[in-house]
Amino acid sequence: MNDHLVRWDKEIKSYDIAVTEYGQRKADLEYRRAVVMETAKHEHEKLSQAAAEKIADADKEAYQLHREFRSAESTIAAKKERLKWCAAVADALRSEVATEREEARLYSENRSTP
């Protein structure tokens, strides 16, 4: 049980790190897109917002940042499922320990049962 709790704690810390990385990736992407759109609007004053967004979508660096952002997003989803698994295992282990304690209590009260 204790080994599992240590493992679960490591998973929680890993999840926290992944959430931080996700936030950084999202901020990097949004910043790059904003820079590209503002640069495009500065170069072409009559440029619409939709056209500026298309230019930002076509930017290679923004595309790479978008891929990193999506990767961080999927990492969080995987770690979240791993945490659910850890919780389920912990529940099962607690139930097993409780069952063993109850059996021990019952057998200690009634010496006639094997």
Side-chain angles (χ1 to χ4, degrees), residues 63-79:
Y63 174 72
Q64 181 61 33
L65 290 171
H66 182 76
R67 288 180 55 180
E68 291 172 6
F69 166 69
R70 291 296 179 196
S71 175
E73 190 175 53
S74 64
T75 299
I76 283 182
K79 289 188 180 294

Side-chain angles (χ1 to χ4, degrees), residues 4-83:
H4 178 71
L5 294 177
V6 168
R7 184 177 181 186
W8 193 3
D9 187 55
K10 287 179 185 177
E11 291 291 336
I12 290 170
K13 289 176 183 173
S14 174
Y15 178 76
D16 288 342
I17 291 168
V19 168
T20 300
E21 185 176 320
Y22 168 80
Q24 290 170 344
R25 299 285 184 223
K26 184 175 182 180
D28 290 346
L29 173 62
E30 289 174 354
Y31 178 77
R32 178 62 188 171
R33 286 182 53 80
V35 166
V36 170
M37 289 191 307
E38 287 302 314
T39 302
K41 285 182 179 182
H42 182 69
E43 291 172 1
H44 310 284
E45 291 185 21
K46 301 242 180 196
L47 191 66
S48 69
Q49 180 68 23
E53 287 179 7
K54 281 186 178 184
I55 292 171
D57 289 340
D59 183 66
K60 288 182 181 184
E61 187 178 342
Y63 174 72
Q64 181 61 33
L65 290 171
H66 182 76
R67 288 180 55 180
E68 291 172 6
F69 166 69
R70 291 296 179 196
S71 175
E73 190 175 53
S74 64
T75 299
I76 283 182
K79 289 188 180 294
K80 196 178 288 188
E81 291 304 314
R82 184 76 174 177
L83 287 174

